[in-house]
Amino acid sequence: MSTPRKSPKRPAIRTTSAPAARPAGRPAGGPVDRPADDEMWPRVTRELADDLAVDALARDRAGKAPFDEVARLQEAGLPALLTAPGPNRRGADWRAACAVVREISAADSSVGELLAHHYALSWSSRFFGPAQEPADVTRAAALPLDVRTAEEHWLLAGGVEPPRTEAEPGLTLTPAESGGGWFLDGSRAFASAVTVADRLVVGARPGGTGDLLVVLVDPARPGVYTDAGTERVGQRLAGAGTVTFDHVPVAPDDILGTLPHDEHAVAPYASLAPLALRLLLVQVGLGIAEGALAEARDISRADQAGPAPARRAAGSLTPDGSGAVGGGDDPYLLLAYGELATAAHAAAAVVERATDALTRGLLAARSLGVEERADIAVLVAAAETVTGRAAVHITTRILELVDGTAGADARGGGPGFDRFWRNARALTAPTQSAHRLRDIGDHYLNGTHARLTLLA
């Protein structure tokens, strides 16, 4: 059932060597007091990932809205991590953000997906906004969205891409009769955080046609209704659901930018927006594979350290000719782990190359050319395809490897390895790998550029 959305108040957090609350009397809009040192974030992320891993299975079983998970993210300061490189060095760069999403996803991929969407949306004003802000905008509206997000301690959700088919009406904007601004109407399904977000970033068409306007909406406004939907097979804690907008007022300052209806009018830099989101979700998939593999290894090591296995019946030999094997000496087990570790290493190598290319493209900003954008699109598609296949393969094989192993049964309180498989399937199901491979092949064989589409 749809219910009006109310944003719960969470304490603002200042992340230093130990998280501390903001001093009393400090204005909410003041700058975020964080060390501008990328070396801090791996430690902060590792500590949060360890914390999430402790009760990941229990939270997955409960399937509640991720209020607690968001509070942990805010306490660690991770939603405020990604800001554009510059003289003030307010946060970290895209490489660091990708590493954070990957490590968090290894512990809890639902939280990783939630953070991935937040990071991609936080750059909406940079991707789609004007090169220079008009002189008549307020100070808050003149700030890039990622800076406002860091200062206000927001968590973002939503999606700016247009509907995939003409049959989907999408969201519409109607001009207000007086005072400027718009009214937002319609309903859209979003992949994460619909019930816990502090702000929604959505794309809507004035009058239902023409260019999309990217708008910022407070979900606590009257007329905003959220529906968490039915229980999902995987990624249960990502907070997916549907949001309905019923004549919600949108002020002119809340227009973040424009997405041209004609794809040929889209600047190469703006078309990096869906590629950034796709690559962040690839990091989630890679984290799932690495997390499953690491937990399975721990189970196998614990099984190896247990009581010595009973010797086989007299005259019975193992395939290598020995009479008995422990878990760590089983050649078939070693072969399986070697295969899965190699698949994870290969996926990581492809993902790192795509991450480096996207980071260079984002630094180029509006000077990015069509050729460079095409190369980035191919690398992201390759990372998406390789990692998606590796995640599903690894999580499937892990279920076979730990089957019957002591401590592996979720019903008995073990780690519940089925959640890795469910999460991998849910994350990769929307991706059409055949389409990605076709684009890669067309680029490699014919030099054709992938379309400058804004669909992720």
Side-chain angles (χ1 to χ4, degrees):
M1 177 179 178
S2 297
T3 56
R5 171 72 169 81
K6 295 181 184 279
S7 294
K9 294 296 183 183
R10 290 187 292 270
I13 299 298
R14 179 183 63 176
T15 302
T16 57
S17 57
R22 185 169 56 210
R26 179 172 177 172
V32 178
D33 188 5
R34 292 184 281 108
D37 185 356
D38 287 359
E39 294 182 0
M40 178 188 73
W41 297 113
R43 175 180 53 78
V44 171
T45 304
R46 192 158 46 249
E47 292 174 355
L48 177 59
D50 290 343
D51 179 55
L52 290 169
V54 171
D55 58 351
L57 177 59
R59 291 183 290 102
D60 178 76
R61 285 172 170 172
K64 297 180 180 178
F67 288 104
D68 175 64
E69 289 79 1
V70 171
R72 297 190 205 186
L73 287 173
Q74 294 284 20
E75 184 177 359
L78 292 184
L81 174 144
L82 180 62
T83 54
N88 293 330
R89 290 288 298 154
R90 302 177 62 87
D93 63 8
W94 274 86
R95 286 188 183 89
C98 287
V100 165
V101 170
R102 177 174 167 182
E103 183 155 0
I104 294 296
S105 298
D108 189 329
S109 58
S110 293
V111 180
E113 182 180 4
L114 186 150
L115 196 58
H117 284 277
H118 167 82
Y119 285 153
L121 291 169
S122 71
W123 269 44
S124 295
S125 62
R126 296 187 184 275
F127 286 130
F128 308 118
Q132 292 185 339
E133 289 289 348
D136 59 344
V137 300
T138 64
R139 175 192 174 275
L143 291 174
L145 180 59
D146 56 286
V147 176
R148 295 175 64 188
T149 297
E151 292 187 351
E152 300 293 341
H153 303 277
W154 287 340
L155 181 81
L156 304 178
V160 300
E161 68 277 1
R164 293 182 177 274
T165 65
E166 295 296 331
E168 299 179 61
L171 304 179
T172 59
L173 287 168
T174 305
E177 294 183 359
S178 61
W182 306 81
F183 288 104
L184 177 65
D185 292 277
S187 181
R188 280 292 304 273
F190 299 115
S192 71
V194 296
T195 58
V196 297
D198 299 299
R199 292 295 185 274
L200 299 172
V201 181
V202 300
R205 283 199 173 96
T209 60
D211 297 343
L212 280 173
L213 296 182
V214 181
V215 302
L216 184 69
V217 182
D218 183 350
R221 276 185 174 275
V224 181
Y225 303 90
T226 61
D227 184 357
T230 58
E231 183 176 334
R232 305 172 74 192
V233 172
Q235 297 295 92
R236 292 175 176 174
L237 302 181
T242 302
V243 182
T244 300
F245 303 93
D246 184 10
H247 216 54
V248 179
V250 177
D253 284 351
D254 290 330
I255 304 297
L256 300 177
T258 304
L259 289 73
H261 180 64
D262 182 4
E263 70 176 54
H264 298 291
V266 178
Y269 179 62
S271 69
L272 290 183
L275 297 180
L277 175 58
R278 283 167 53 189
L279 186 59
L280 285 166
L281 294 178
V282 166
Q283 305 287 348
V284 177
L286 183 57
I288 292 174
E290 293 176 333
L293 196 54
E295 287 205 23
R297 178 189 60 193
D298 292 343
I299 290 293
S300 295
R301 285 176 174 174
D303 186 55
Q304 176 187 0
R311 181 168 293 275
R312 294 169 177 258
S316 175
L317 298 177
T318 58
D320 65 348
S322 62
V325 293
D329 300 320
D330 186 341
Y332 289 100
L333 185 64
L334 298 177
L335 178 64
Y337 273 108
E339 174 199 359
L340 298 181
T342 299
H345 289 320
V350 178
V351 170
E352 288 297 330
R353 188 177 177 193
T355 302
D356 289 343
L358 179 66
T359 302
R360 290 193 299 270
L362 292 170
L363 288 174
R366 300 180 188 277
S367 64
L368 181 73
V370 174
E371 292 286 344
E372 292 84 358
R373 188 271 179 192
D375 292 339
I376 294 170
V378 167
L379 291 173
V380 171
E384 198 171 30
T385 302
V386 172
T387 304
R389 291 180 172 182
V392 172
H393 174 63
I394 289 171
T395 54
T396 302
R397 286 286 286 129
I398 287 301
L399 286 173
E400 301 169 359
L401 291 178
V402 301
D403 183 32
T405 303
D409 185 6
R411 293 170 296 179
F417 284 93
D418 66 296
R419 80 182 189 276
F420 292 109
W421 178 84
R422 288 188 285 101
N423 291 340
R425 297 294 293 185
L427 185 72
T428 60
T431 303
Q432 301 292 331
S433 60
H435 295 172
R436 307 297 193 214
L437 290 171
R438 183 187 62 194
D439 291 341
I440 295 171
D442 198 14
H443 178 79
Y444 184 79
L445 186 62
N446 303 315
T448 304
H449 293 167
R451 294 176 58 195
L452 293 178
T453 176
L454 287 168
L455 289 175

